[in-house]
Amino acid sequence: MLMQRAARLWPIGVFAMLCSTLTVANVRIFPVESQSGVHEKYTLRVPNEKMFDTVRIVGEFPAGLKILNFEFKPGWKLNIRKDAAGNIIGAEWRGRLRPYEFAEFGLLGVNPAEPSTLVWKFVQHYADGSKAEYTGPAGARFPAPVTRILAVAGATGDAAPRGSNANPAVLLDPAAHN
């Protein structure tokens, strides 16, 4: 009886795993939280979700974020897009990402001075001519990556971002107390 039940439930488990993999494997930006006004290294993570090579990734960067530099990525060509004032507003990476592979692309930027929500937009192009547009709202099949910009800890009493300690330990020099 136990074997019959397991045989009936097995396909459901496999289907659930496949669906959860599809929802997790989107284009992402890390970190998902940062502080206002700081220099931050952002990492664009691009998985190849198809059985065709990814050949191009086109990105539109959030308004208010000042991109300064890009991390060199062997095998990929980078084309930078700028506005009339010379600010970097987007980029295009051309290369080859085979099925079951992923790549990470680094960007260095300066966060906006005020707390905000940064919405990144990316389009992933495949060798078969298809594309995945990561420009949708949260909960969409292809959501745009989002980064929350929080106030600097202690500046206004707002919560500090990921992994920070609002009350760090005070280290004393024992030699100063002799």
Side-chain angles (χ1 to χ4, degrees):
M1 169 134 159
L2 183 62
M3 293 297 284
Q4 291 174 339
R5 186 173 185 169
R8 282 185 286 156
L9 294 177
W10 180 82
I12 295 169
V14 170
F15 179 73
M17 286 189 333
L18 288 174
C19 289
S20 67
T21 301
L22 291 175
T23 60
V24 174
N26 290 328
V27 167
R28 303 235 176 172
I29 283 283
F30 295 100
V32 295
E33 287 185 348
S34 187
Q35 290 184 337
S36 60
V38 300
H39 284 73
E40 183 72 72
K41 178 190 177 191
Y42 287 99
T43 301
L44 164 63
R45 182 176 296 160
V46 181
N48 188 349
E49 301 175 351
K50 289 192 162 194
M51 295 310 298
F52 298 97
D53 292 358
T54 294
V55 294
R56 183 167 58 125
I57 301 134
V58 179
E60 179 183 318
F61 305 140
L65 177 68
K66 184 173 177 72
I67 296 294
L68 304 173
N69 297 312
F70 295 85
E71 190 172 43
F72 173 72
K73 189 73 174 167
W76 289 81
K77 182 179 179 189
L78 172 66
N79 294 311
I80 299 170
R81 290 184 319 130
K82 295 182 179 184
D83 64 13
N87 297 312
I88 298 172
I89 59 169
E92 175 186 62
W93 291 267
R94 287 184 179 264
R96 192 155 298 275
L97 186 58
R98 303 208 185 285
Y100 303 108
E101 293 180 346
F102 74 94
E104 293 183 332
F105 302 88
L107 305 92
L108 180 63
V110 179
N111 288 341
E114 298 297 323
S116 60
T117 299
L118 302 179
V119 178
W120 306 73
K121 296 182 179 181
F122 294 99
V123 179
Q124 184 173 7
H125 296 264
Y126 296 93
D128 69 343
S130 65
K131 62 185 175 181
E133 298 184 31
Y134 296 93
T135 58
R141 182 169 181 214
F142 298 111
V146 174
T147 303
R148 286 184 9 167
I149 302 300
L150 305 174
V152 175
T156 62
D158 288 339
R162 62 182 159 82
S164 65
N165 184 351
N167 300 309
V170 177
L171 300 177
L172 300 175
D173 181 3
H177 297 286
N178 288 333

